[in-house]
């Protein structure tokens, strides 16, 4: 694939978006943004005319899923009570507001008539007092018992925290915490230079934000992940934003962290400005959403990297598209080494079209180039100019019935320097009601070929979901591939058992057992998790 193909794909995808958005159909009033054990949260609130007692009708791919009653309302958010027989909702599902109809006052009965109907009081929804903190905290334990004699076994206890709090301390503050701590004990060191025991403390996000409901400004401090602008990456520092309607501008500054560790890093300083248009939320709905950010990174007073990130989204009833790109700005030593003032390092384009409520088609294209940083200033140019990767993937999903769906995907990736393109595919069948209520069946086969290896991987998952959030599944998977350099065939098989359960409204537990047998691994894997969900 060359530059002409890249341009043709980009133009064709967004030309299609332009044609289809001329008649996008009725716009959804809100989308699902968060799911807890018994509530579903949507991005519309009192500012959009939502009140306690109203109903939202939820849809996916044009198919109705549920009607749920609003039990709590904030300015830009609302929560609905999940019922036990509700179909599984997902993030991004659309919903339409259905206002509560107040009962009219009956007129006086006519003379000489008898009113035999019983008096009924109008039903009103109860407002549920909900904790402002959502998420989960869980203890985990992972163990592998190696039966191959290679002493690759390990034990790994851990702790995972995922918390999100809003409208705290008078309603003006919000917090986000996502961490994972693991302590690994190996039968013998993985490498000669490493210990047989090691701590992993990963802090993905830990921030507090001041954003009063009646204010257009917000200030976030801590380890921040700027929402809607993924190209910026994490930041240890501060982010300020100003919002006006669907528009938002902001600035940020701090240091670039290594999310694998909890320690602060000051080696790379980062600063940037951005603009966002969020059409999916707010009072004035729009099918468009976009963001532009300019970021500068410095190391020891020298330019580390400077780039511009851009993304654009369109979300219609039948057609949706997403595009993101990163354009590196080269100056000082970067311009001397590359000989270019600008360089497109990343481009990703994705489009999805639903010709009917049963069929969904998708096409993805991405191209990525390694970029230079101050630390990699003297590395060989081949690592940055020759290893230019491009890939394209087509997806198809067909809803066979209200319970069954089949999906397929095929992709191809090229990389300069490789003699052969890499290809991969999968075909998946899923049935959420396989003859009986709650019985799930998932059959999948996938394959790959890249010039070095050529193989396939069929798998089967079968189980039962019970009332109260309990489930039991059995799995089987087989992998087989040929190695071109040695002309050998390597095989592996896995048999597994998985059980999920809930205890009351908040506690949950999960246990997984997997027996491996093959050329790559031989032994028993065990995983257990017990946690509390807010």
């Amino acid at each position: 694939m060359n530059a002409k193909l890249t341009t043709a794909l980009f133009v064709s995808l967004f030309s299609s978006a332009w044609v289809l958005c001329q008649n996008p159909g009725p716009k959804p009033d809100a989308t699902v943004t968060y799911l807890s054990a018994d509530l579903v949260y949507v991005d519309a609130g009192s500012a959009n005319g939502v009140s306690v007692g109203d109903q939202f009708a939820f849809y996916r791919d044009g198919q109705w899923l549920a009607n749920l009653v609003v039990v709590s309302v904030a300015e830009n958010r609302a929560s609905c009570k999940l019922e036990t027989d509700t179909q599984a909702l997902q993030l991004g599902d659309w919903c339409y507001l259905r206002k509560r109809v107040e009962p009219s006052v009956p007129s006086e009965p006519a003379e000489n008539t008898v009113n035999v109907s019983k008096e009924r009081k109008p039903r009103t929804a109860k407002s549920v007092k909900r904790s402002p903190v959502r998420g989960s905290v869980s203890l985990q334990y992972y163990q592998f018992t190696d039966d191959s004699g290679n002493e690759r076994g390990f034990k790994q206890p851990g702790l995972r925290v995922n918390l999100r709090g809003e409208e705290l301390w008078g309603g003006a503050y919000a917090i986000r915490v996502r961490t994972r701590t693991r302590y690994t004990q190996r039968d013998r060191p993985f490498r000669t230079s490493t210990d047989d025991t090691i701590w992993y403390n990963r802090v993905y996000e830990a921030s507090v934000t001041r954003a009063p409901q009646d204010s257009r400004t917000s200030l976030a401090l801590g380890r921040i992940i700027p929402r809607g602008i993924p190209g910026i990456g994490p930041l240890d520092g501060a982010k300020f934003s100003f919002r006006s309607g669907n528009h938002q501008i902001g600035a940020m500054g701090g240091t670039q962290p290594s999310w694998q560790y909890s320690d602060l890093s000051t080696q790379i300083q980062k600063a940037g400005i951005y603009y966002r248009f969020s059409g999916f939320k707010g009072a004035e709905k729009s099918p468009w959403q976009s963001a532009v950010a300019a970021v500068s990174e410095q190391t020891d007073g020298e330019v580390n990297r400077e780039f511009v990130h851009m993304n654009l989204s369109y979300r219609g009833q039948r057609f949706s598209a997403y595009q993101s790109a990163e354009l590196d700005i080269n100056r000082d030593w970067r311009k001397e080494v590359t000989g270019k003032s600008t360089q497109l390092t990343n481009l990703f384009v994705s489009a999805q079209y639903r010709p009917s409520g049963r069929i969904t088609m998708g096409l993805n294209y991405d191209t990525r180039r390694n970029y230079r940083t101050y630390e990699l200033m003297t590395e060989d140019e081949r690592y940055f100019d020759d290893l230019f990767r491009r890939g394209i993937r087509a997806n198809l999903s067909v809803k066979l019935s209200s319970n069954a769906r089949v999906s397929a995907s095929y992709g191809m990736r090229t990389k300069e320097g490789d003699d052969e393109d890499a290809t991969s595919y999968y075909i998946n069948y899923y049935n959420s009601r396989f003859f009986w209520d709650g019985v799930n069946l998932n059959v999948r086969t996938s394959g790959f070929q890249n010039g070095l290896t050529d193989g396939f991987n069929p798998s089967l998952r079968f189980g039962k979901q019970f009332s109260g959030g309990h489930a039991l599944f059995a799995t089987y998977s087989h992998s087989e591939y040929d190695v071109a350099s040695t002309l050998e065939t390597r095989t592996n098989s896995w048999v597994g058992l998985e059980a999920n359960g809930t205890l009351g409204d908040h506690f949950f537990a999960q246990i997984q057992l997997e027996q491996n047998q093959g050329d790559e691994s031989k032994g028993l894997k065990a995983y257990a998790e017990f946690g509390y969900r807010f």
Side-chain angles (χ1 to χ4, degrees):
M1 287 179 286
N2 51 29
K4 292 183 178 179
L5 177 57
T6 304
T7 305
L9 283 168
F10 187 89
V11 172
S12 62
L13 287 173
F14 280 91
S15 296
S16 301
W18 172 254
V19 172
L20 290 167
C21 73
Q22 304 307 309
N23 183 22
K27 301 174 185 177
D29 295 313
T31 56
V32 176
T33 59
Y34 185 81
L35 291 164
S36 68
D38 55 356
L39 292 176
V40 55
Y41 294 81
V42 299
D43 55 0
S46 58
N48 310 97
V50 182
S51 304
V52 172
D54 293 343
Q55 276 193 347
F56 275 106
F58 292 83
Y59 288 82
R60 185 187 312 135
D61 297 336
Q63 299 295 313
W64 174 84
L65 300 174
N67 291 335
L68 300 180
V69 177
V70 176
V71 295
S72 180
V73 177
E75 182 181 6
N76 296 305
R77 292 178 301 278
S79 60
C80 303
K81 180 70 174 177
L82 280 170
E83 305 297 340
T84 56
D85 57 348
T86 302
Q87 295 190 49
L89 297 177
Q90 299 176 3
L91 297 182
D93 284 344
W94 292 329
C95 55
Y96 297 88
L97 179 63
R98 295 181 174 180
K99 296 296 292 181
R100 176 179 55 182
V101 179
E102 298 293 347
S104 58
V105 179
S107 59
E108 293 293 332
E111 222 175 281
N112 299 326
T113 62
V114 178
N115 188 352
V116 297
S117 62
K118 295 182 180 179
E119 181 182 358
R120 293 186 179 180
K121 295 181 179 181
R123 298 175 61 187
T124 58
K126 295 180 180 179
S127 179
V128 178
K129 187 176 181 180
R130 184 68 178 172
S131 170
V133 178
R134 302 189 298 274
S136 63
V137 177
S138 64
L139 295 172
Q140 302 172 316
Y141 184 79
Y142 185 28
Q143 178 175 333
F144 175 58
T145 303
D146 187 12
D147 296 332
S148 66
N150 295 323
E151 296 183 298
R152 295 179 180 177
F154 61 85
K155 299 176 182 178
Q156 190 181 83
L159 171 69
R160 182 169 62 179
V161 178
N162 184 2
L163 297 178
R164 175 182 178 182
E166 296 184 354
E167 301 177 8
L168 302 173
W169 306 305
Y173 293 88
I175 62 169
R176 288 179 181 268
V177 179
R178 289 194 301 124
T179 68
R180 187 178 183 186
T181 300
R182 294 178 294 168
Y183 177 64
T184 303
Q185 301 170 281
R186 297 187 179 277
D187 292 345
R188 66 184 179 95
F190 188 68
R191 298 185 181 90
T192 56
S193 59
T194 60
D195 298 330
D196 56 355
T197 62
I198 187 170
W199 279 96
Y200 295 94
N201 296 310
R202 296 188 172 183
V203 180
Y204 305 101
E205 190 173 11
S207 64
V208 57
T209 301
R210 175 174 169 79
Q213 291 189 6
D214 56 351
S215 175
R216 295 183 176 183
T217 63
S218 68
L219 177 64
L221 300 173
R223 181 158 294 182
I224 304 163
I225 297 180
R227 293 296 189 273
I229 320 174
I232 293 181
L235 173 75
D236 281 347
K239 181 176 75 73
F240 173 81
S241 65
F242 174 82
R243 175 176 52 84
S244 178
N246 293 341
H247 304 272
Q248 184 183 95
I249 58 173
M252 68 201 76
T255 60
Q256 179 172 295
S258 296
W259 55 263
Q260 299 95 326
Y261 310 103
S262 57
D263 299 336
L264 293 176
S265 173
T266 59
Q267 182 179 6
I268 301 176
Q269 299 82 45
K270 179 186 289 187
I273 57 175
Y274 70 90
Y275 163 79
R276 283 189 66 198
F277 172 76
S278 302
F280 299 163
K281 300 181 180 180
E284 299 180 6
K285 292 286 185 178
S286 168
W288 295 96
Q289 183 164 288
S290 62
V292 179
V295 181
S296 174
E297 298 175 0
Q298 302 282 326
T299 301
D300 298 330
E302 297 285 347
V303 174
N304 186 67
R305 187 191 181 202
E306 294 176 329
F307 65 98
V308 176
H309 169 84
M310 302 162 284
N311 66 61
L312 176 67
S313 302
Y314 172 81
R315 183 190 294 173
Q317 284 290 315
R318 293 185 178 273
F319 182 85
S320 60
Y322 175 79
Q323 171 268 323
S324 68
E326 290 181 17
L327 182 69
D328 274 50
I329 309 299
N330 298 328
R331 62 186 183 93
D332 297 342
W333 68 266
R334 298 187 85 214
K335 185 175 182 180
E336 294 176 5
V337 173
T338 63
K340 300 175 183 178
S341 300
T342 60
Q343 194 171 25
L344 182 66
T345 48
N346 293 325
L347 173 65
F348 177 77
V349 182
S350 174
Q352 190 177 78
Y353 176 59
R354 289 179 293 273
S356 69
R358 292 182 176 272
I359 301 176
T360 302
M361 300 181 293
L363 184 66
N364 303 332
Y365 173 78
D366 74 282
T367 177
R368 300 178 183 274
R369 182 191 296 273
N370 295 328
Y371 56 82
R372 288 184 178 274
T373 62
Y374 185 72
E375 189 179 34
L376 304 176
M377 178 179 177
T378 59
E379 293 292 331
D380 195 313
E381 292 186 7
R382 291 176 301 170
Y383 295 112
F384 306 95
D385 299 326
D386 294 342
L387 300 182
F388 196 24
R389 303 179 298 279
R390 302 181 182 91
I392 188 170
R393 177 166 292 276
N395 306 293
L396 175 65
S397 177
V398 180
K399 191 173 184 180
L400 304 178
S401 66
S402 59
N403 306 304
R405 180 183 294 274
V406 62
S407 56
S409 177
Y410 179 84
M412 179 178 67
R413 180 173 291 277
T414 65
K415 187 170 71 172
E416 292 183 6
D418 287 355
D419 297 330
E420 204 170 328
D421 295 339
T423 59
S424 63
Y425 70 88
Y426 76 78
I427 301 174
N428 187 80
Y429 171 80
Y430 175 73
N431 194 321
S432 61
R433 189 184 183 278
F434 190 65
F435 292 108
W436 299 279
D437 289 338
V439 177
N440 297 170
L441 174 67
N442 196 166
V443 182
R444 179 187 177 99
T445 183
S446 60
F448 59 90
Q449 191 274 332
N450 55 24
L452 302 176
T453 57
D454 184 355
F456 67 97
N457 173 211
S459 63
L460 173 70
R461 179 181 171 89
F462 180 79
K464 166 74 173 175
Q465 291 180 323
F466 304 92
S467 61
H470 309 302
L472 182 65
F473 290 94
T475 60
Y476 172 77
S477 182
H478 176 80
S479 172
E480 183 173 322
Y481 64 94
D482 298 326
V483 182
S485 59
T486 61
L487 300 180
E488 65 175 329
T489 299
R490 302 183 70 83
T491 62
N492 300 276
S493 297
W494 305 268
V495 178
L497 187 66
E498 176 184 333
N500 304 312
T502 59
L503 305 174
D505 294 333
H506 299 285
F507 290 97
F508 65 92
Q510 181 183 36
I511 297 176
Q512 295 180 5
L513 298 174
E514 182 181 276
Q515 179 65 47
N516 303 345
Q517 188 73 27
D519 298 320
E520 307 293 341
S521 176
K522 183 183 295 184
L524 177 66
K525 291 182 179 179
Y527 173 81
E529 182 177 14
F530 180 76
Y532 182 88
R533 185 178 291 117
F534 295 87

